[in-house]
Each structure stands twice: as structure tokens, then as C-alpha cells.
Amino acid sequence: MQLNVTGHHVDITPALRDYVSSKLERLERHFDHVTNVHVILTVEKLSQKAEATINITGNQLFADAEDEDMYAAIDALVDKLDRQIRRHKDKVTDHHRNEGAAFK
């Protein structure tokens, strides 16, 4: 997984970059076809915003979250992305059994 973290009106410290990468490892645990992640962290007057675009095989997912604390915004962002990835995985996975397997 290639991770790209950028900031608008905020300096991306190594601690912030490590926090984002450690949280996004959870997404790879559910679905290992994640190829590229682009995270944008933005600071406006009183709100901290985190948005991410994820490229997975055959699709692209987007989510954003806003909070007063940047770490809380990142947590909410990862929760939204996790939900989307699990939903995508359920769509892609074939849930049908083999026809003859149940009655042998």
C-alpha cells in the first residue's frame, strides 16, 4: 500500500504521519487489495478536517471527517473507510456455495 499524506495549513509531523499509517493498517487487515491511499489533512479556523481517497482494484473510495481534534478526525475517517471497504468486499465476494456440496 502506497500512502501519501499532505497538509493544507498544517505541517505534517512524523508523529502525525505515523498515526495515520498505523490507523490505515486496519484497512489492509480487512481487504488486502488496497493499492494507493491519499490523505489530506486540513486546518481551518476551529475545525480539523481529514479526507482520504483510496484506490482499490477496480474501484475508488472517498471519505472525509471533521472534528475539533485532528486525531479524532483521523479516527472518524478510518471508521468510515473501514465500513466502505467491508461493504465493497461483501459485494465482490461470491457468497454462493457449490451446488453439490450440501447434499453429499
Side-chain angles (χ1 to χ4, degrees), residues 25-89:
E25 284 178 5
R26 187 171 95 186
L27 302 179
E28 279 190 327
R29 205 173 34 186
H30 291 294
F31 192 65
D32 57 349
H33 298 290
V34 177
T35 57
N36 187 11
V37 179
H38 183 77
V39 179
I40 301 172
L41 305 176
T42 307
V43 175
E44 295 175 0
K45 289 186 179 182
L46 294 175
S47 65
Q48 318 282 327
K49 187 175 182 181
E51 26 181 83
T53 304
I54 293 183
N55 293 327
I56 54 179
T57 53
N59 207 351
Q60 187 174 18
L61 304 176
F62 175 80
D64 62 343
E66 193 169 334
D67 204 312
E68 293 179 3
D69 182 32
M70 182 61 79
Y71 291 101
I74 292 169
D75 289 341
L77 172 74
V78 171
D79 289 340
K80 289 180 182 182
L81 288 172
D82 188 37
R83 212 171 314 122
Q84 287 184 13
I85 282 184
R86 280 188 283 156
R87 193 174 327 134
H88 176 74
K89 184 179 176 182

